[in-house]
Amino acid sequence: MRLLTCIFAVLTFSAAPLAAGEAEYRDALEEILRRGWIGTSDALNGAREKYAAAARMPEAEGRAELALALVEMRHRKFEEAEAVILTGLRANPTQQDLARAYIWLQVFTRKHGGALQSMRSLADRFPAEADADPAREAQWQETARLFGRILGFYRGPNSEFSQADLDRLEEQLLSKLSSPYRDAFTTAQSELAAEYEALGQELARVSEQDAADEAKRVELERAFIARERERTTSE
């Protein structure tokens, strides 16, 4: 993930109006990311120090944890990233950005059982209908899309799950989502399936081209050998 994308994601974490001290807090978040994105241990330690100060600010809302977790993942400190995300979730249990980051990290680190349980738990909290608050509704929609993409990923090549298990999981999740969220879920899953199909077609095309190139190479080698033999015998 690019640094500017991470900064945007963290700074737009909350749609609430700017409060007193918010500008200072956002500067602190950006500093965590800018410091920590450099691939050195000194940079990581600097980001952790900045986080310790930012986390004490009243505007925190879990964004400092999200920023540091991204930095920890950047440095492949996945256990540390998980710990800081859980710290943020304990203080901000309804913060969906952190919840999605936790599920994504579980998938990435192959803690698939934990990821599925986290998805089921988060699905239990979906509203029965679209949220009247646009910012919260956008969060629910994004979470439903994440669910769909993860199911699509698990249905892809080299899946560790049987299709029957995935069918049951999909049924469980969809049973907890109302219509707009089910639509977001199924659309995201279908989009990823289409991406897999396109990738498979491209790999097949490359494989066919490689085979054709190999056949051409063999043909040229044989022609060269034949010419050399003819030249040698004629001499």
Side-chain angles (χ1 to χ4, degrees), residues 1 6 37 66 69-74 76-78 81-82 85 89 96-112 114-116 118-119 122 142-143 145-147 149-150 153-154 192:
M1 188 181 294
C6 291
W37 221 248
L66 180 61
L70 291 171
V71 167
E72 299 284 2
M73 284 186 269
R74 166 75 170 176
R76 304 190 68 80
K77 301 290 187 179
F78 300 121
E82 180 177 359
I85 288 173
L89 284 173
Q96 290 192 64
D97 293 82
L98 282 170
R100 288 195 299 271
Y102 184 47
I103 293 170
W104 183 90
L105 180 59
Q106 288 176 304
V107 173
F108 185 78
T109 55
R110 303 177 68 85
K111 296 180 179 179
H112 299 306
L116 300 187
S118 296
M119 290 168 64
L122 188 53
E142 186 61 30
T143 299
R145 284 192 291 271
L146 176 67
F147 286 179
R149 288 190 70 83
I150 289 176
F153 169 72
Y154 284 147
L192 191 57

Side-chain angles (χ1 to χ4, degrees), residues 62-198:
R63 284 177 291 174
E65 284 76 19
L66 180 61
L68 183 60
L70 291 171
V71 167
E72 299 284 2
M73 284 186 269
R74 166 75 170 176
H75 288 260
R76 304 190 68 80
K77 301 290 187 179
F78 300 121
E79 290 185 3
E80 291 83 350
E82 180 177 359
V84 76
I85 288 173
L86 290 174
T87 295
L89 284 173
R90 282 192 290 271
N92 305 273
T94 63
Q95 201 58 268
Q96 290 192 64
D97 293 82
L98 282 170
R100 288 195 299 271
Y102 184 47
I103 293 170
W104 183 90
L105 180 59
Q106 288 176 304
V107 173
F108 185 78
T109 55
R110 303 177 68 85
K111 296 180 179 179
H112 299 306
L116 300 187
Q117 183 55 47
S118 296
M119 290 168 64
R120 291 188 185 99
S121 297
L122 188 53
D124 286 334
R125 291 163 38 194
F126 267 76
E129 56 187 25
D131 199 306
D133 181 88
R136 287 197 302 267
E137 174 62 11
Q139 290 285 319
W140 290 119
Q141 288 281 339
E142 186 61 30
T143 299
R145 284 192 291 271
L146 176 67
F147 286 179
R149 288 190 70 83
I150 289 176
L151 260 292
F153 169 72
Y154 284 147
R155 290 189 186 279
N158 305 315
S159 176
E160 298 183 15
F161 298 94
S162 70
Q163 291 304 308
D165 287 341
L166 294 174
D167 288 343
R168 282 192 292 272
L169 175 62
E170 181 173 348
E171 183 179 354
Q172 291 169 0
L173 293 175
L174 290 177
S175 70
K176 300 174 182 181
L177 307 184
S178 57
S179 179
Y181 308 124
R182 285 198 299 269
D183 292 344
F185 176 102
T186 55
T187 297
Q189 185 173 200
S190 297
E191 288 174 349
L192 191 57
E195 291 174 22
Y196 275 136
E197 182 177 1

